[in-house]
Amino acid sequence: MEKVKSSGVSDVGAWAMNVVSSVGIIMANKQLMSPDGYAFSFATTLTGLHFSLTALVGFLSNAAGYSTSKHVPLWELLWFSVVANMSITGMNLSLMLNSVGFYQISKLSMIPVVCIMEWILHSKHYSREVKIAVAVVVVGVGVCTVTDVKVNAKGFLCACVAILSTSLQQISIGSLQAKYSVGSFELLSKTAPIQAASLLLFGPFIDYYLSGHFVSNYNFSSGAYFFILLSCSLAVFCNISQYLCIGRFSATSFQVLGHMKTVCVLILGWLLFDSQLTMKNILGMALAVVGMVVYSWAVEVGKKQQADSKPIIPFTKNVLTEEDIKLLKEGVEVTTVKDVEAIIGSKS
C-alpha cells in the first residue's frame, strides 16, 4: 500500500515539475524574445543552449555517481536526436510561416497523431471513454487558443514535418526506456549532448533564415544574460520531467494532460502581461479541464479492468518453519548416507 502511495506521489511530482517548469520557461522566453523585452529572436540557438546545460548536468551527475550509465547503441541515439531536432526546427518554421491559429491547430493535431502512431507501432488500443475525453480536450483547447487561421504550402509542409517528428520523438522516449531498461535521466544524459552539438552548429543558420539576423550580431546585455540563464535552468527541469512523464505514462497522456500548461499560460498571461481573456477563452479552458479529468478517470478505469482480467496466480507458501527446516536437514543427511553406501558398494 505504501509503495502504491509513493508511486502516486512521484507521478504527481513529475507532472507538477513539468507544468511549473514549462510554464516558467514560456514566461521567461516571452520576456527574452518579445520586441517589448530583449528581442532575442534566436529560438533554435537558445534550444541548443538548453540542451548544453542539460548535458552538463547529466555529465556531472554521472561523474559524481548519482546516476548510472547503461549501453544504448549510438545509431539509436543519433536517429532519436535527428527526429528531435526535426521537431524543434519544424515547429519554429511552422510558427514563422503560418498564422498563430494554424500553429495551435497543428499542436492540437499531435494528440490524434500520437494515438494513431502508437496503434500502428505498438498495437495500442483505446477505450471509447478515452477517445471521447481526447476529443473534448482538443475541442476545449481549440476554442480557447485558435483565432485566425492562415496557411500556405510551405507552412503546411513544415507543420506536417513538425507534427510527425514530434509525435515520433515522444513515442520513442518511452520505447527506448523500455527497450534498453534505462531511466529517464539516463536517456536524456545520452541524447542531450548530441542535440546540443547539432543545434549549436546549425541553429544560428536556421535562426538567420527565420529572423534575418545572426546571433553573433545581437547586442547582449546583463538582463538578456539573466533571462538566457533562467531559460536554460528551467529547460533542465522541463527536459527531465518530460522524459519522466512519458516514461511513467505514455506519449498520449503527455499530450493530453500537457495542455494544462496551455491553460496555465493563458491565465498567467492575463495576470502578468495584461493579455485579454474573453468568455470564449474561459469556456474553452473549462471544457479542456473537464476533458483532462475525464481522460485521467478513463485511463485509471482501463488499468483496473486490465488488472482484473489477468489470471490470479495461487498463493504458494514460501516461508519455511523450523519444522520444515528440520525435515529438510534430516532428508539431506539420509540421502547423503545412502549415496555414500552406494558408492562403497559399487567400488567393492
Side-chain angles (χ1 to χ4, degrees):
M1 183 68 180
E2 290 181 0
K3 186 176 180 181
V4 174
K5 186 177 180 180
S6 176
S7 176
V9 172
S10 300
D11 293 346
V12 173
W15 278 117
M17 184 195 298
N18 185 256
V19 171
V20 172
S21 59
S22 298
V23 173
I25 200 172
I26 290 171
M27 294 294 116
N29 287 351
K30 188 168 184 178
Q31 181 64 27
L32 175 65
M33 304 181 75
S34 67
D36 297 331
Y38 293 96
F40 186 85
S41 57
F42 310 100
T44 313
T45 304
L46 181 62
T47 307
L49 295 175
H50 289 171
F51 281 106
S52 298
L53 186 57
T54 303
L56 178 61
V57 171
F59 173 78
L60 294 176
S61 178
N62 288 329
Y66 291 115
S67 60
T68 56
S69 180
K70 294 182 181 179
H71 176 70
V72 179
L74 180 60
W75 73 269
E76 292 260 38
L77 298 176
L78 290 173
W79 173 84
F80 175 84
S81 298
V82 168
V83 173
N85 288 348
M86 285 178 63
S87 166
I88 294 166
T89 306
M91 280 294 184
N92 289 338
L93 289 172
S94 175
L95 182 59
M96 183 194 79
L97 296 173
N98 299 315
S99 64
V100 176
F102 186 80
Y103 175 76
Q104 290 294 344
I105 290 175
S106 65
K107 286 181 67 177
L108 286 172
S109 65
M110 287 179 196
I111 299 178
V113 169
V114 166
C115 292
I116 294 170
M117 291 182 74
E118 285 196 320
W119 172 63
I120 294 172
L121 298 174
H122 303 301
S123 301
K124 188 171 182 178
H125 296 277
Y126 300 92
S127 66
R128 184 185 63 178
E129 291 80 7
V130 169
K131 293 175 183 176
I132 293 173
V134 167
V136 171
V137 172
V138 170
V139 171
V141 177
V143 167
C144 66
T145 59
V146 177
T147 51
D148 61 317
V149 178
K150 295 178 182 178
V151 64
N152 54 67
K154 286 184 180 179
F156 181 77
L157 179 62
C158 290
C160 290
V161 170
I163 292 166
L164 293 173
S165 57
T166 302
S167 302
L168 184 59
Q169 181 239 359
Q170 293 183 355
I171 292 172
S172 299
I173 290 174
S175 300
L176 288 174
Q177 289 185 50
K179 185 177 180 180
Y180 297 103
S181 300
V182 294
S184 53
F185 187 68
E186 296 171 47
L187 181 61
L188 179 60
S189 300
K190 291 179 180 296
T191 58
I194 302 173
Q195 287 189 252
S198 54
L199 286 171
L200 289 178
L201 180 62
F202 298 107
F205 299 100
I206 296 171
D207 289 332
Y208 177 77
Y209 175 75
L210 292 172
S211 65
H213 303 284
F214 271 114
V215 65
S216 57
N217 296 328
Y218 179 75
N219 185 22
F220 287 91
S221 63
S222 57
Y225 280 123
F226 171 77
F227 277 99
I228 289 173
L229 182 60
L230 177 62
S231 179
C232 291
S233 301
L234 290 167
V236 173
F237 292 100
C238 187
N239 288 330
I240 293 173
S241 59
Q242 179 188 12
Y243 280 58
L244 272 173
C245 290
I246 294 176
R248 286 174 175 270
F249 306 100
S250 68
T252 303
S253 295
F254 183 77
Q255 278 290 334
V256 173
L257 301 179
H259 279 291
M260 178 58 72
K261 294 175 283 189
T262 305
V263 175
C264 292
V265 167
L266 287 171
I267 295 173
L268 286 176
W270 173 63
L271 292 173
L272 302 178
F273 297 100
D274 295 327
S275 299
Q276 188 178 6
L277 198 62
T278 64
M279 183 57 66
K280 174 173 168 283
N281 299 137
I282 296 171
L283 290 174
M285 287 188 289
L287 188 60
V289 171
V290 169
M292 292 174 204
V293 172
V294 174
Y295 176 85
S296 302
W297 168 79
V299 169
E300 288 302 316
V301 169
K303 287 180 180 178
K304 188 176 179 181
Q305 290 176 347
Q306 189 176 8
D308 293 341
S309 64
K310 289 182 179 179
I312 300 173
I313 301 173
F315 175 75
T316 56
K317 186 178 180 182
N318 58 1
V319 179
L320 298 177
T321 63
E322 291 183 6
E323 186 178 354
D324 294 331
I325 295 171
K326 185 177 179 181
L327 289 171
L328 283 172
K329 284 182 178 178
E330 289 177 357
V332 169
E333 289 172 1
V334 172
T335 304
T336 305
V337 171
K338 287 181 179 179
D339 290 342
V340 171
E341 289 176 351
I343 292 170
I344 294 172
S346 64
K347 285 185 177 180
S348 62

